[in-house]
Amino acid sequence: MVTRNNLHLSLNTKWVAVFALLLLFLNYGEAQEIPVPVKLQFQLFVKILSFDKNLEKQTDDSLRLAVVCQSGWRQSDRTARSFLAEAAADESLRIQNLPLAVRRHHLGTIPELRKFLVAEKIDVVYIGPLRAVAVSDITALTRELRVLSLSGVPEYQKHGVSVNLNIKGATPEILINQKSAKHEGADFSSRLLHLVTIIN
Amino acid sequence: MVNQLLKTTLRTKLVLIVAGLIGVISVFIYIYFPTRLEKVQMSSMETKAQQISRVIAYGATPALYFEDRDALNEIFAALLQYEELLWIQVLRPDSTVFVEYRRQPDNAAEIKLQKPSSPPEFLTVVQAMEYNDRKIGQLCTRFSLKTLEAEVRLSRFRIALISVSLFLFGVVAITILSRIFTRPLKRMVRTVEQIIAGNLEERMKINTDDEIGFLAREFDNMMERLSAAYRKLDDLNEELEIRVESPTAALRLTNVQLTAELAERKKIERELSAERIRLITMLRKISEAVIITNLENRVSIINRVAAEITGWNEIDAIGKLVADILKLPASPRHQKTAQTIHEFIREQTGENSAYLTILDSQSREKRLSINIVPIRTLFGEKSGTVFIFQLSDEPSGSGLSDLKEYQA
């Protein structure tokens, strides 16, 4: 039973507890680390998207990409900013002859995300490192809206993200969930598929 | 044929032999190289077809595995550049056709594509398609050999052209070369013919630095020496003629003189002979015995009366010593009888006449009245002696006894 006296812990004890909690959060964040640098991720996703045969059909005049992140978590925010910076670095970048437009979305609730995706006519979603969020809810939404989901967090492949990046040895490994990708309206060329790891 | 070839000139032989060789080489080139080229091109075509099939299979295998028809169409569209490629078929493992590509039948080759029973015009390659070490189908490709055949025909034509050109060029070249090389020889032959005809002043005059030039120069030098020798010989002949001409003239004159003299002598001899015949005839007619001797006291004429008295045959007596004919009775001094008698008569009487006894050929003693007259030439030289005698009845002991005494 917790008594008031018990709550009166010494100052040192309080700092130890705070440090322990901090370590706990840090460990949680490390579990969602991204093995492939964001710059390389951006370049690879641009290449991967160029092999989507349905991309041109599903977009209007430009390819709209949303970066979903959590502003309250530094790693997620930093990843998102890095991704945006890479996209902004080359203004003349075109994928399948479509200009790329990148939007940032601070993840709140799933309905808010749905609203954002619909309002912005998003074609592709890049899911940054997230915590305390059910990624499968996000992928269910992307399947519903036929928005292709990308992520640099390898663990998210288990939750139905269509395209993931991992490191295998010293080289990046592309993981494609073909079933999920089809549900999201993507049709990748066999020239890409025979180079990647297919997950069904 | 070989004999006829051997009889031709060196240049003709050279041209015929080399032209024949070039002809053989040209025929060899025409026969061998197109066949070889065809084999090489066919092999190259097979290799190329296999490589193209492998490349197609490499790109088409993922497309088949992921059933990506768009990717296959892209691949096939890229293959349009290969005009030889007529037909591509991608088959699933159960042999059902996944994708088939045919070039538009805009030419005869495409029509024949419908009849794959004409293999010489096509080359078909079957390539297995494997993905992750698992067979997922096969790729059949068919290539037209029309282009290859056209290339072979063109190559054959070019090689034929080259062969004919080589032959013609070779013949022309060897003809020109043979002319160049045999021209000195021809010049040498002409020169030798001229020299054989007697023109020793003809020269080859070949100034090349090769063996023929050396030979010609040495020949010219030899002819120079020979001509010089002939000139020298002519000079010597002329000199000899000049030298011999004056003695010859003298000899000719002498010869003329001798001939004239000989004629004169023959005339004289004939006259003498006639005279001798007349003399002999006359001597035969007269009744006295006559013996005429020469300077050596050998009998040259003896008449019949003398032969009867001496008992000698006229023919046997000719050439004998007169002492053998008018043989005196045996005495060691009889050898000198005639001379002794002659000298004795001249000394005793001043005339060469006397009586003496001789022995005839039967050794019978006969008493002769003998007269001995010397024969002298116009210049007073003694040339012989005439013995004129007859049997005498003069008994011994007269004047002749003195002789006998003298003989004793």
Side-chain angles (χ1 to χ4, degrees):
Chain A
M1 187 168 179
V2 178
T3 63
R4 187 178 181 84
N5 290 335
N6 290 338
L7 291 172
H8 292 282
L9 298 174
S10 65
L11 187 60
N12 289 338
T13 307
K14 285 178 183 173
W15 279 112
V16 169
V18 169
F19 184 69
L21 284 171
L22 187 62
L23 281 177
L24 184 66
F25 280 119
L26 283 174
N27 284 338
Y28 182 74
E30 287 299 319
Q32 297 180 41
E33 67 183 7
I34 46 176
V36 180
V38 175
K39 184 176 181 179
L40 184 56
Q41 281 185 44
F42 181 79
Q43 291 170 352
L44 285 172
F45 285 134
V46 167
K47 276 284 179 197
I48 290 164
L49 288 173
S50 68
F51 284 99
D52 182 3
K53 292 183 282 185
N54 289 340
L55 190 67
E56 201 172 351
K57 297 176 197 167
Q58 292 182 343
T59 54
D60 296 332
D61 54 347
S62 64
L63 177 65
R64 294 183 176 85
L65 188 145
V67 178
V68 177
C69 63
Q70 289 177 320
S71 57
W73 187 26
R74 226 170 99 193
Q75 186 187 0
S76 178
D77 186 56
R78 191 169 62 232
T79 302
R81 276 193 276 114
S82 298
F83 199 92
L84 287 166
E86 287 299 326
D90 186 4
E91 292 179 353
S92 62
L93 178 66
R94 299 176 85 85
I95 299 170
Q96 292 192 25
N97 212 25
L98 294 169
L100 181 64
V102 183
R103 302 282 187 272
R104 182 177 180 179
H105 177 72
H106 296 283
L107 185 61
T109 60
I110 295 300
E112 287 174 353
L113 178 61
R114 171 195 289 273
K115 190 178 177 182
F116 172 77
L117 295 178
V118 172
E120 294 292 333
K121 297 181 179 176
I122 297 299
D123 302 307
V124 181
V125 168
Y126 172 76
I127 304 172
L130 301 173
R131 63 182 182 185
V133 171
V135 177
S136 56
D137 291 344
I138 298 174
T139 55
L141 180 63
T142 55
R143 285 180 194 179
E144 182 188 341
L145 297 176
R146 297 182 71 82
V147 173
L148 181 63
S149 56
L150 316 173
S151 178
V153 183
E155 286 79 11
Y156 290 172
Q157 56 153 318
K158 299 170 192 170
H159 304 291
V161 173
S162 294
V163 182
N164 272 276
L165 296 177
N166 197 2
I167 285 287
K168 190 175 185 179
T171 55
E173 181 187 22
I174 300 170
L175 306 167
I176 291 182
N177 188 327
Q178 201 176 8
K179 200 174 177 181
S180 178
K182 280 195 175 175
H183 282 301
E184 291 175 352
D187 184 11
F188 290 111
S189 168
S190 58
R191 286 187 290 168
L192 171 69
L193 293 176
H194 86 283
L195 298 172
V196 306
T197 303
I198 305 292
I199 296 161
N200 286 314
Chain B
M1 173 107 180
V2 175
N3 289 335
Q4 286 177 347
L5 181 64
L6 290 173
K7 285 176 186 172
T8 56
T9 61
L10 187 64
R11 196 175 77 192
T12 309
K13 283 177 198 165
L14 192 64
V15 169
L16 286 176
I17 290 169
V18 177
L21 278 174
I22 294 171
V24 170
I25 292 169
S26 300
V27 170
F28 174 76
I29 288 171
Y30 178 70
I31 292 172
Y32 176 75
F33 282 100
T35 311
R36 180 75 184 153
L37 189 69
E38 190 174 349
K39 285 181 182 175
V40 169
Q41 285 190 329
M42 189 64 196
S43 173
S44 172
M45 182 66 194
E46 286 175 0
T47 307
K48 182 182 173 185
Q50 286 172 354
Q51 287 176 344
I52 290 172
S53 291
R54 273 200 290 272
V55 169
I56 296 171
Y58 179 78
T61 299
L64 174 63
Y65 183 77
F66 295 108
E67 299 204 339
D68 186 354
R69 294 174 191 275
D70 294 335
L72 281 175
N73 287 334
E74 286 176 15
I75 291 167
F76 294 161
L79 290 170
L80 284 172
Q81 59 176 313
Y82 297 110
E83 292 180 356
E84 300 92 344
L85 187 59
L86 299 174
W87 176 62
I88 306 172
Q89 200 173 43
V90 179
L91 302 172
R92 294 192 181 93
D94 57 359
S95 298
T96 56
V97 177
F98 176 64
V99 168
E100 188 177 59
Y101 165 79
R102 287 172 186 264
R103 196 179 284 275
Q104 291 298 317
D106 55 351
N107 53 36
E110 295 299 318
I111 294 168
K112 287 182 181 177
L113 182 64
Q114 306 302 321
K115 298 177 181 176
S117 59
S118 50
E121 295 185 17
F122 304 103
L123 178 65
T124 305
V125 178
V126 178
Q127 177 74 40
M129 300 171 78
E130 293 180 350
Y131 192 80
N132 292 335
D133 298 331
R134 189 166 62 88
K135 187 176 178 183
I136 60 167
Q138 65 181 18
L139 175 77
C140 299
T141 48
R142 181 165 289 165
F143 296 86
S144 171
L145 297 178
K146 287 285 179 187
T147 309
L148 180 70
E149 286 174 7
E151 286 178 3
V152 168
R153 273 201 302 276
L154 185 63
S155 301
R156 194 179 284 276
F157 173 72
R158 283 176 180 162
I159 289 171
L161 203 64
I162 289 169
S163 301
V164 172
S165 302
L166 178 68
F167 178 73
L168 293 177
F169 176 76
V171 169
V172 170
I174 193 61
T175 304
I176 293 170
L177 286 174
S178 65
R179 275 179 183 276
I180 292 170
F181 283 119
T182 57
R183 190 179 296 150
L185 288 174
K186 207 166 182 179
R187 167 86 183 149
M188 290 171 82
V189 170
R190 274 203 305 271
T191 306
V192 169
E193 285 173 351
Q194 289 281 322
I195 289 168
I196 289 170
N199 183 10
L200 296 179
E201 298 305 318
E202 186 71 15
R203 296 290 180 269
M204 293 181 177
K205 294 175 184 171
I206 297 168
N207 294 321
T208 55
D209 290 331
D210 52 13
E211 291 86 346
I212 292 174
F214 173 76
L215 195 64
R217 279 193 298 278
E218 289 303 314
F219 185 85
D220 285 348
N221 292 337
M222 187 184 74
M223 285 310 300
E224 281 294 335
R225 290 195 293 272
L226 194 61
S227 296
Y230 271 114
R231 281 195 294 273
K232 194 172 180 181
L233 192 61
D234 288 344
D235 293 344
L236 286 172
N237 280 338
E238 285 178 11
E239 190 179 344
L240 192 62
E241 280 178 7
I242 292 167
R243 281 185 187 176
V244 168
E245 193 171 0
S246 52
T248 304
L251 279 173
R252 199 174 292 128
L253 180 62
T254 306
N255 190 32
V256 170
Q257 289 172 348
L258 282 173
T259 305
E261 191 173 339
L262 191 63
E264 185 68 20
R265 183 164 292 188
K266 282 183 177 176
K267 183 182 174 185
I268 292 168
E269 279 180 356
R270 280 197 300 274
E271 288 175 0
L272 283 173
S273 178
E275 192 66 27
R276 182 185 174 93
I277 290 166
R278 278 197 299 274
L279 178 64
I280 289 170
T281 304
M282 187 182 70
L283 287 174
R284 282 183 178 173
K285 297 290 183 185
I286 62 176
S287 59
E288 289 179 322
V290 177
I291 294 175
I292 300 172
T293 65
N294 57 15
L295 272 177
E296 295 169 349
N297 291 321
R298 291 185 183 276
V299 175
S300 56
I301 295 172
I302 178 170
N303 69 351
R304 182 177 51 83
V305 177
E308 286 174 1
I309 292 172
T310 57
W312 282 80
N313 186 299
E314 285 180 59
I315 295 168
D316 293 338
I318 298 297
K320 300 286 185 184
L321 286 171
V322 71
D324 293 334
I325 303 301
L326 300 175
K327 193 178 289 181
L328 296 178
S331 170
R333 297 172 62 184
H334 284 171
Q335 278 303 103
K336 300 179 182 176
T337 300
Q339 188 175 9
T340 306
I341 289 169
H342 178 263
E343 288 174 355
F344 176 77
I345 291 170
R346 190 179 56 192
E347 286 173 3
Q348 291 299 318
T349 65
E351 295 180 0
N352 292 328
S353 59
Y355 294 95
L356 78 154
T357 302
I358 65 163
L359 295 174
D360 64 5
S361 61
Q362 304 294 324
S363 300
R364 291 173 299 196
E365 287 191 356
K366 287 183 178 176
R367 186 68 177 170
L368 301 178
S369 168
I370 188 165
N371 191 21
I372 300 170
V373 179
I375 303 169
R376 296 186 185 278
T377 65
L378 294 173
F379 303 102
E381 294 172 350
K382 187 180 177 183
S383 64
T385 305
V386 179
F387 293 85
I388 304 167
F389 56 91
Q390 58 186 1
L391 292 173
S392 173
D393 297 331
E394 175 75 18
S396 59
S398 60
L400 191 59
S401 59
D402 296 331
L403 178 61
K404 281 185 177 178
E405 286 173 3
Y406 178 77
Q407 287 174 338

